[in-house]
Amino acid sequence: MKKISLFLLLTLIVSNHLCAKTYYVATNGSDSNTGTISAPFATLKTAQDIVSAGDTVYFRGGTYHITEDQIMGYEANSLYACVFDLKKSGTVDNPICYFGYPGERPVFDLSNVKPADKRISVFYLYGSYLHFKNFDVIGTQVTITTHTQSECFSGRNGSNNIIEDIAIHDGMAIGVYIVKGGNNLVLNCDAYNNYDSVSEGGKGGNVDGFGCHVASQYTGNVFRGCRSWCNSDDGFDLINNYASVTFDHCWAFYNGYKDFSTSTPGDGNGFKAGGYGLKVQSEAVDAPRNTIENCIAYHNKANGFYANHHLGGDNWYNNSAYLNKYNYQMVNQQSWDVAKDVGGYDHVLKNNLSFTSVKGDTLYINQDKCTLTNNSFQLSSYTVSSTDFESTDYSQLTAARQEDGSLPEVTFLKLKSTSELYTAKMGYQFTTETTGIECTQAQKSVRASVYDNKYYNLNGIEVQNPGKGIYIYNGNLLLL
């Protein structure tokens, strides 16, 4: 029955994709080619001109040295130079896919793209139902010396997009920056070693790993399985955001640093979950309740988990914090019309673990106005120590991801089964369910992809070592 069901499913997939096309881009391609696997294009621009809903663009391995003549457009009143200006949309059943070729890892190097007086957006997402997967973006530049920012993925209008298994590093730009659009999933992505040394005297104050700053109607944005480290500002940032966002199984460490020993003038919070600048608002704000769950915050220059003067409460479930300035800093603004810091209110903190901080486990928590359940900093009779953990070696956090893109298996801050805190089911390794069922470290239940990364022939039979021919791979017809 399982085999028949699989065959029927694959048959439906094939029928849905019979009209879809696959195009290839390679470092040794030519834009006068036809875009086949044997005659690939040289640039995404050429492929973008002809793709439509359901199509897939595969980037072959190698480094693509992007030049300014590949800039596809200028948006936002010409403020942004949009290297890849993506306005076309897929559909719920037929997304447009932009994938690194299976088994290869392409790299887009933006080091030579320096348009004068322009912010740079590498992937400018104006379309919906787009899926990006399996490549790196490096070397994104900043050219403006006053207050500014560049972005590697700019969510400017699109909804229902997936950004998956993308590494954004060694540049001057924000990794993923969403300002318009809902139900976007940022899955298993990394942003690291990003520092703006050009604008505002090298302050680096606008280079977050990941950020979402949308209006109230754009709900459903999720960041899952992502890592952010050595970004000159914050790891994850929700300032000036008006719709609920979820950070799920994400890791933030050494933000506010440009390497593991040199700090920057940027803020340096791990998870900045809200806030509107600690100022009087023009009208009452219906602040969203964000959810931060099963996350790790380690050695960020400022706070690990930070409410940032939010005008409401957030949900903080099963997180682990270690060696931040304050591990849990829950400060709220008093009200929309009174710009005054007060103890955090309306927050729900459950099963959170705090181990050794620079200044304190917590700050600005009004316990009478928050719901606190089973957090380590509530245990007056117990002191968290290194002997509670299998390991405190943070170098594990930068380990290579698993083959499917999910987080690496680590023992960092994983509680020993003999620890009292293990019995209490605290920290990132446990779900928030009342049963306290332990999660796998890589979180298989939230991992990976919407696909299974396997090859099938047209009869629906899995092929372990595919040769030349036509196969089904991640819901698309693939010619090898």
Side-chain angles (χ1 to χ4, degrees), residues 185-367:
L185 173 62
V186 184
L187 176 66
N188 293 337
C189 292
D190 291 335
Y192 60 94
N193 297 347
N194 298 303
Y195 170 53
D196 171 10
S197 60
V198 173
S199 70
E200 299 181 290
K203 179 180 178 181
N206 288 314
V207 186
D208 301 318
F210 302 90
C212 188
H213 318 275
V214 298
S216 59
Q217 66 266 36
Y218 297 117
T219 58
N221 290 305
V222 175
F223 297 77
R224 176 170 292 140
C226 295
R227 297 184 294 187
S228 182
W229 74 93
C230 291
N231 298 292
S232 58
D233 200 26
D234 300 310
F236 298 82
D237 191 350
L238 297 180
I239 193 171
N240 295 324
N241 177 65
Y242 294 86
S244 296
V245 170
T246 297
F247 295 135
D248 178 23
H249 289 85
C250 293
W251 301 350
F253 50 102
Y254 272 94
N255 292 290
Y257 293 84
K258 65 179 181 179
D259 54 44
F260 289 112
S261 60
T262 309
S263 64
T264 72
D267 288 349
N269 296 287
F271 295 86
K272 182 185 284 184
Y276 306 97
L278 189 59
K279 60 185 179 182
V280 173
Q281 306 296 303
S282 60
E283 59 184 1
V285 174
D286 184 13
R289 176 171 286 276
N290 304 297
T291 297
I292 304 88
E293 57 188 358
N294 297 98
C295 294
I296 296 175
Y298 169 71
H299 206 298
N300 296 285
K301 189 184 75 170
N303 306 292
F305 297 98
Y306 181 38
N308 192 37
H309 325 282
H310 199 41
L311 283 166
D314 290 321
N315 300 322
W316 312 84
Y317 302 141
N318 281 91
N319 301 296
S320 297
Y322 174 28
L323 213 58
N324 305 282
K325 183 177 180 180
Y326 288 97
N327 283 340
Y328 296 86
Q329 215 279 42
M330 299 287 107
V331 66
N332 282 114
Q333 181 173 323
Q334 179 173 317
S335 62
W336 69 271
D337 55 347
V338 179
K340 177 183 177 181
D341 279 340
V342 295
Y345 52 81
D346 294 338
H347 296 292
V348 176
L349 294 100
K350 181 179 180 181
N351 301 337
N352 295 289
L353 176 61
S354 180
F355 171 50
T356 306
S357 63
V358 176
K359 288 195 171 183
D361 288 328
T362 65
L363 184 68
Y364 275 113
I365 297 180
N366 186 331
Q367 297 194 23

Side-chain angles (χ1 to χ4, degrees), residues 32 75 107 173 459:
S32 61
E75 303 291 345
V107 176
N459 291 320

